[in-house]
Amino acid sequence: MQFPGVEEMPHFEKTSFRLKKKIFATLDQKNLKATVKLSLKEQDLFCLIDKSKVYPVPNKWGKQGWTNVEINELEEEILTDLLTTAFNQLASK
């Protein structure tokens, strides 16, 4: 992560990326899946790319903006946009 102030830490079987101790993204390297925290509006927009590649986490977490991303299925530019959006949402608070 090249965002200022970001820390990489374990989070269960995943790697989490945090700003001021708050998680904005996790990486499940084994399953090639990331999870990012977006606003519900941003989640809706990114899911329009392809709902089989970018989709809300099932259950209440998805209704809070947590979004799964199939990282091996998307272009690097889209992945960068997803991470930047998640980071900026947290950084602006």
Side-chain angles (χ1 to χ4, degrees):
M1 280 287 168
Q2 296 181 4
F3 299 118
V6 171
E7 294 180 293
E8 184 177 324
M9 300 176 71
H11 183 68
F12 300 99
E13 70 282 354
K14 302 174 185 176
T15 302
S16 68
F17 300 92
R18 303 167 188 238
L19 178 65
K20 298 178 185 174
K21 300 185 182 183
K22 293 191 181 245
I23 297 174
F24 67 92
T26 63
L27 174 63
D28 180 349
Q29 201 161 12
K30 178 181 171 187
N31 294 307
L32 298 173
K33 185 183 290 187
T35 303
V36 294
K37 176 69 164 85
L38 305 171
S39 71
L40 293 178
K41 184 177 180 178
E42 292 162 338
Q43 183 185 64
D44 286 344
L45 290 172
F46 277 107
C47 288
L48 290 174
I49 294 168
D50 184 332
K51 291 186 182 193
S52 69
K53 299 174 184 174
V54 181
Y55 50 93
V57 171
N59 66 36
K60 67 178 182 177
W61 294 105
K63 293 178 182 175
Q64 294 175 17
W66 288 100
T67 308
N68 285 328
V69 180
E70 303 293 333
I71 60 176
N72 63 331
E73 303 279 331
L74 295 170
E75 297 172 14
E76 184 176 337
E77 183 179 342
I78 294 170
L79 293 171
T80 300
D81 286 348
L82 279 158
L83 287 170
T84 301
T85 301
F87 171 80
N88 285 337
Q89 180 181 334
L90 184 56
S92 69
K93 291 182 178 180

